[in-house]
């Protein structure tokens, strides 16, 4: 049977970490929890579950996850965020993998809970993510949305049954708070890459198209009121990108 190590990075995740750990206990042989010096009860909750967090100053998502991966001793790594949890069906699928691994990389389908409602449209579901993989096969890269970069060009993959529950946005305000820094990072990345933003295209058309895409093309209207909110916030994020890019260009021209 394959040994499975869970890797979680945390910072002030007292509201989520207990649920995450409980969902992992039936399937995981080893926990590596890297905490970036939380100031809430995150570490106390981890310890109440009989686990010891590794504390280390924040160095970015990719570097933190790669460091945590290096501490594992399992054959496979299950990389999961503190605001996520395994569904019962996904637990059973992972247990089958442990008993008889048939691939090197496994995808899971993430289902997001938005303000207490499961979002099954709006381009948010199905949302397949690679979260289970053989140790040493890959590493994380990227600053905004970290991605796995593989050490070899060929590897076997499989999709698992069940959902990875994602409790990302307990309130609309929490969604907006996340949009603001993300839009700034995206604009700064484009600015450094030498891209050009235009008022008509990036300030008007792209935000409008993003709303239409989320709400109509990706059937966000079937998610009810929160599908509308997601579409509006997605458009708002695009608009904020333009504002940040314009600010960066203006600052450059006045130097």
């Amino acid at each position: 049977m394959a040994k499975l190590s869970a890797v979680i990075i945390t910072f002030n995740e007292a509201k989520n970490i207990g649920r995450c750990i409980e969902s992992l206990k039936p399937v995981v042989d080893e926990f590596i929890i890297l905490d970036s010096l939380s100031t809430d009860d995150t570490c106390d909750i981890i310890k109440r579950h009989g686990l010891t967090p590794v504390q280390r100053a924040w160095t970015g998502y990719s570097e933190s996850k790669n460091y945590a991966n290096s501490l594992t001793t399992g054959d496979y790594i299950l990389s999961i965020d503190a605001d996520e949890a395994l569904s019962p069906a996904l637990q059973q699928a992972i247990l089958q993998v442990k008993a008889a691994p048939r691939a090197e990389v496994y995808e899971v389908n993430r289902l997001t809970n938005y303000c207490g409602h499961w979002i099954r449209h709006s381009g948010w579901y199905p949302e397949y993510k690679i979260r289970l993989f053989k140790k040493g096969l890959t590493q994380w890269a990227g600053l905004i949305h970290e991605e796995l970069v593989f050490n070899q060009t060929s590897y076997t993959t499989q999709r698992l049954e069940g959902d990875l529950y994602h409790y990302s946005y307990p309130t609309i305000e929490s969604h907006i708070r996340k949009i603001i820094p993300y839009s700034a990072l995206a604009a700064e990345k484009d600015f450094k890459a030498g891209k050009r933003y235009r008022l008509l295209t990036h300030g008007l058309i792209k935000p409008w198209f993003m709303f239409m895409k989320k709400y109509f093309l990706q059937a966000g209207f079937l998610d009810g009121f929160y599908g509308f909110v997601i579409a509006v916030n997605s458009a708002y994020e695009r608009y904020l990108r333009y504002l940040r890019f314009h600010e960066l260009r203006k600052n450059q021209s006045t130097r």
Side-chain angles (χ1 to χ4, degrees):
M1 179 176 288
K3 180 179 178 181
L4 179 59
S5 300
V7 168
I8 314 168
I9 59 172
T10 60
F11 177 71
N12 289 351
E13 291 285 357
K15 292 182 179 179
N16 295 310
I17 190 62
R19 177 181 56 226
C20 179
I21 291 172
E22 284 296 329
S23 78
L24 292 170
K25 281 184 176 179
V27 303
V28 168
D29 302 296
E30 176 185 52
F31 282 87
I32 301 296
I33 304 178
L34 181 64
D35 181 76
S36 299
L37 309 180
S38 290
T39 57
D40 65 0
D41 293 332
T42 298
C43 291
D44 290 335
I45 294 170
I46 293 170
K47 291 173 183 176
R48 285 202 293 270
H49 282 275
L51 304 172
T52 302
V54 178
Q55 293 199 283
R56 185 172 183 255
W58 178 247
T59 54
Y61 285 104
S62 294
E63 202 282 333
S64 296
K65 288 186 175 182
N66 288 334
Y67 175 73
N69 287 353
S70 72
L71 302 179
T72 62
T73 61
D75 304 301
Y76 282 81
I77 294 173
L78 175 59
S79 183
I80 184 170
D81 294 340
D83 62 357
E84 296 172 338
L86 308 181
S87 68
L90 184 54
Q91 289 175 339
Q92 291 303 311
I94 292 174
L95 287 173
Q96 291 175 15
V97 169
K98 288 182 62 179
R102 297 181 179 178
E104 296 167 292
V105 175
Y106 294 88
E107 290 185 334
V108 299
N109 194 6
R110 190 164 72 167
L111 177 62
T112 296
N113 189 289
Y114 191 97
C115 300
H117 296 263
W118 295 110
I119 303 300
R120 299 184 180 276
H121 307 92
S122 303
W124 284 18
Y125 188 85
E127 184 188 24
Y128 289 102
K129 299 283 187 181
I130 295 174
R131 290 305 181 83
L132 179 59
F133 45 87
K134 197 169 184 179
K135 182 178 179 178
L137 181 66
T138 185
Q139 61 184 354
W140 295 96
L143 296 176
I144 300 176
H145 277 316
E146 66 276 13
E147 296 179 344
L148 286 168
V149 177
F150 290 89
N151 303 327
Q152 56 193 56
T153 57
S154 178
Y155 48 87
T156 54
T157 63
Q158 183 179 333
R159 283 183 176 175
L160 298 179
E161 296 293 328
D163 291 318
L164 177 66
Y165 296 147
H166 186 208
Y167 298 88
S168 183
Y169 303 111
T171 64
I172 295 173
E173 181 184 0
S174 67
H175 189 191
I176 295 172
R177 285 201 306 266
K178 193 170 184 178
I179 282 172
I180 294 171
Y182 172 79
S183 63
L185 285 171
E188 289 162 14
K189 181 181 178 181
D190 286 348
F191 184 79
K192 290 177 181 178
K195 294 185 179 180
R196 296 177 64 86
Y197 276 28
R198 302 183 185 281
L199 173 61
L200 179 62
T201 304
H202 297 84
L204 297 173
I205 295 176
K206 286 202 170 186
W208 176 246
F209 177 75
M210 180 58 68
F211 173 83
M212 299 293 287
K213 177 183 177 181
K214 292 290 181 184
Y215 196 65
F216 293 106
L217 297 181
Q218 296 179 330
F221 60 90
L222 293 177
D223 289 314
F225 170 73
Y226 292 106
F228 175 77
V229 172
I230 289 168
V232 170
N233 283 349
S234 297
Y236 180 54
E237 188 277 324
R238 288 286 176 169
Y239 176 65
L240 287 179
R241 282 195 205 188
Y242 169 76
L243 293 184
R244 177 57 179 160
F245 190 93
H246 178 74
E247 184 181 53
L248 290 168
R249 187 173 60 185
K250 183 179 179 181
N251 292 340
Q252 184 186 56
S253 63
T254 57
R255 289 177 183 174

